Amino acid sequence: MIDAVFWDFGGVFTGSPFHLDDYARSLGTTNERLLEHVFGRYEADGDHPWHRLERGEGTLAEALEAAAESCRADGIEGFDSEGFFKAMSSTSSEERREMAVAKVRELNEAGIRQAIITNNAKEFGDMWRQLIPVDELFEAVVDSSAVGMRKPDPRIYQLALERMDVSRPNFSAFLDDFEPNVTAARDLGMHGVLVGEHIAPALAELDRILAEFTA
């Protein structure tokens, strides 16, 4: 049996924050440009305000103000936190969350251990934990803002593996909606599953991986 399955949260149990096309168009820009202003080069791990936020080194207010300033410097007017979070929430669906939670419950019943590895902000802690019964479903949560590391830094995956007593990364799987995060997991030997706009194909891929261990 596989040793453990690790899940991202945002973009897996919720819609992806990386698909804000309608909001970007309302600001007169592209999704790619908007994401760079808000998140920086997300696959990097630098001094960008959002990166610092997710490492627990800065505040949400600071990150949002920096995003607004960056947009204005690029001639993009109208960015505000209310519109941004409304756009993020519009990508979510109850069906997606129910499908993901059902799979977690199924794996728990099969005796497969599970944990979350999430890039998150301290300010979001109470909110995202209310969306699903986190403590009931998962043995561990590795939150970037609590541990001072963020994906795709390989150290956060290694920490998660250690917390779950997984000594063989190739006997674990990881699901995430951001390809560089999945690539980083694969580089460590984990089975990486990229979650797209629809979650069903990713869950089917996870089933395929799990079947390899029971064949």
Side-chain angles (χ1 to χ4, degrees):
M1 183 181 292
I2 197 167
D3 289 339
V5 174
F6 297 89
W7 300 75
D8 177 32
F9 184 78
V12 176
F13 293 89
T14 70
S16 175
F18 302 118
H19 300 295
L20 305 178
D21 302 81
D22 290 343
Y23 183 55
R25 279 193 292 269
S26 75
L27 298 176
T29 188
T30 64
N31 185 64
E32 291 73 18
R33 284 176 66 190
L34 177 62
L35 295 182
E36 186 164 351
H37 288 304
V38 177
F39 300 124
R41 289 183 55 246
Y42 200 70
E43 73 279 8
D45 190 28
D47 198 44
H48 188 277
W50 201 273
H51 302 177
R52 297 184 65 252
L53 170 69
E54 290 186 336
R55 293 195 303 264
E57 300 167 0
T59 68
L60 179 60
E62 291 168 346
L64 291 172
E65 179 56 34
E69 289 180 3
S70 182
C71 284
R72 287 193 294 269
D74 194 24
I76 302 168
E77 300 292 340
F79 175 89
D80 68 290
S81 59
E82 182 178 354
F84 174 65
F85 288 124
K86 183 178 180 180
M88 286 179 62
S89 65
S90 71
T91 65
S92 297
S93 75
E94 188 66 26
E95 180 184 17
R96 182 189 190 93
R97 184 159 55 248
E98 288 176 353
M99 290 178 66
V101 168
K103 178 58 65 176
V104 174
R105 292 191 187 281
E106 175 188 324
L107 299 187
N108 279 334
E109 291 173 3
I112 296 174
R113 304 172 66 213
Q114 299 176 87
I116 284 179
I117 310 174
T118 176
N119 283 357
N120 233 307
K122 290 178 180 178
E123 291 92 333
F124 294 155
D126 292 338
M127 178 187 68
W128 75 264
R129 283 177 171 271
Q130 291 177 2
L131 295 175
I132 63 173
V134 175
D135 294 331
E136 173 190 336
L137 296 174
F138 299 97
E139 285 191 38
V141 173
V142 179
D143 184 322
S144 65
S145 66
V147 302
M149 297 175 281
R150 60 186 290 278
K151 298 172 294 185
D153 184 337
R155 295 178 302 162
I156 195 169
Y157 303 90
Q158 291 165 340
L159 175 62
L161 291 166
E162 291 170 5
R163 287 191 176 180
M164 293 293 284
D165 296 319
V166 175
S167 60
R168 305 172 297 179
N170 59 315
F171 274 67
S172 69
F174 172 68
L175 296 88
D176 197 292
D177 66 310
F178 188 59
E179 189 165 6
N181 292 346
V182 175
T183 299
R186 289 173 178 163
D187 288 344
L188 290 173
M190 304 169 76
H191 294 271
V193 178
L194 181 64
V195 180
E197 183 177 356
H198 302 287
I199 196 170
L203 298 182
E205 174 64 11
L206 176 61
D207 284 340
R208 185 196 65 78
I209 292 169
L210 296 175
E212 293 181 357
F213 288 87
T214 56

